[in-house]
Amino acid sequence: MRLKDRLMLRQYMDYKRMKIRELAKAAGVSRATIGHLHSGKRNTCSPATARRVEEALGAPPGLLFVVTSSTVQREVAA
Protein backbone atom coordinates (compact mmCIF):
# COMPACT_ATOMS: atom_id res chain seq x y z
CA MET A 1 0.00 0.00 0.00
CA ARG A 2 1.20 3.51 -0.75
CA LEU A 3 0.66 6.49 1.53
CA LYS A 4 -1.31 9.05 -0.46
CA ASP A 5 0.31 12.07 1.18
CA ARG A 6 2.59 12.25 4.21
CA LEU A 7 1.20 15.70 5.05
CA MET A 8 -2.28 14.20 5.21
CA LEU A 9 -0.97 11.61 7.69
CA ARG A 10 0.63 14.36 9.75
CA GLN A 11 -2.55 16.45 9.73
CA TYR A 12 -4.67 13.47 10.76
CA MET A 13 -2.23 12.68 13.57
CA ASP A 14 -2.38 16.32 14.71
CA TYR A 15 -6.19 16.27 14.54
CA LYS A 16 -6.25 13.12 16.70
CA ARG A 17 -3.46 14.56 18.89
CA MET A 18 -1.28 11.50 18.41
CA LYS A 19 2.49 11.43 18.40
CA ILE A 20 4.53 8.92 16.40
CA ARG A 21 5.08 6.72 19.45
CA GLU A 22 1.39 6.74 20.38
CA LEU A 23 0.26 5.87 16.88
CA ALA A 24 2.83 3.08 16.59
CA LYS A 25 1.65 1.56 19.86
CA ALA A 26 -2.04 1.89 18.96
CA ALA A 27 -1.47 0.37 15.52
CA GLY A 28 0.83 -2.38 16.79
CA VAL A 29 3.69 -1.42 14.47
CA SER A 30 7.19 -0.13 15.10
CA ARG A 31 7.96 3.51 15.78
CA ALA A 32 10.38 3.34 12.85
CA THR A 33 7.57 2.40 10.46
CA ILE A 34 5.40 5.33 11.56
CA GLY A 35 8.40 7.65 11.74
CA HIS A 36 9.44 6.81 8.19
CA LEU A 37 5.91 7.30 6.85
CA HIS A 38 5.61 10.55 8.82
CA SER A 39 8.92 11.94 7.55
CA GLY A 40 8.50 10.80 3.95
CA LYS A 41 11.55 8.54 4.09
CA ARG A 42 9.17 5.75 3.16
CA ASN A 43 5.77 5.84 1.48
CA THR A 44 4.78 2.17 1.28
CA CYS A 45 3.79 -0.51 3.75
CA SER A 46 1.91 -3.78 3.86
CA PRO A 47 -1.88 -3.77 3.53
CA ALA A 48 -2.15 -5.01 7.13
CA THR A 49 -0.02 -2.11 8.41
CA ALA A 50 -2.02 0.42 6.39
CA ARG A 51 -5.28 -0.98 7.78
CA ARG A 52 -3.99 -0.88 11.38
CA VAL A 53 -2.74 2.71 11.01
CA GLU A 54 -6.08 3.88 9.60
CA GLU A 55 -7.97 2.01 12.32
CA ALA A 56 -5.75 3.43 15.08
CA LEU A 57 -6.43 6.94 13.78
CA GLY A 58 -10.14 6.26 13.30
CA ALA A 59 -9.75 7.12 9.62
CA PRO A 60 -12.06 5.63 7.00
CA PRO A 61 -10.46 2.76 5.04
CA GLY A 62 -8.62 4.08 2.00
CA LEU A 63 -8.35 7.66 3.27
CA LEU A 64 -4.60 7.60 3.85
CA PHE A 65 -3.40 4.68 1.73
CA VAL A 66 -3.99 3.47 -1.81
CA VAL A 67 -3.33 0.05 -3.28
CA THR A 68 -0.17 -0.04 -5.35
CA SER A 69 -0.03 -2.16 -8.46
CA SER A 70 2.58 -4.85 -8.70
CA THR A 71 5.29 -4.57 -11.31
CA VAL A 72 5.76 -8.33 -11.37
CA GLN A 73 4.65 -9.85 -14.64
CA ARG A 74 3.24 -13.34 -14.74
CA GLU A 75 3.78 -15.72 -17.61
CA VAL A 76 0.56 -16.69 -19.28
CA ALA A 77 0.15 -20.39 -19.91
CA ALA A 78 -0.60 -21.23 -23.53
Side-chain angles (χ1 to χ4, degrees), residues 5-20:
D5 184 349
R6 73 182 176 93
L7 297 178
M8 185 185 296
L9 173 64
R10 286 180 171 197
Q11 290 171 345
Y12 217 86
M13 288 174 65
D14 287 345
Y15 174 72
K16 294 293 186 167
R17 296 184 176 159
M18 292 185 89
K19 302 286 185 195
I20 292 170

Side-chain angles (χ1 to χ4, degrees), residues 11-63:
Q11 290 171 345
Y12 217 86
M13 288 174 65
D14 287 345
Y15 174 72
K16 294 293 186 167
R17 296 184 176 159
M18 292 185 89
K19 302 286 185 195
I20 292 170
R21 180 175 293 183
E22 296 166 333
L23 178 55
K25 184 175 181 179
V29 300
S30 73
R31 287 183 308 194
T33 296
I34 300 299
H36 290 159
L37 292 169
H38 186 269
S39 71
K41 183 174 183 178
R42 176 177 170 184
N43 68 355
T44 60
C45 63
S46 72
T49 297
R51 186 186 74 251
R52 291 192 304 250
V53 168
E54 288 178 332
E55 286 175 356
L57 287 170
L63 178 72

Side-chain angles (χ1 to χ4, degrees), residues 56-73:
L57 287 170
L63 178 72
L64 300 172
F65 295 90
V66 65
V67 176
T68 55
S69 60
S70 175
T71 57
V72 176
Q73 295 181 359

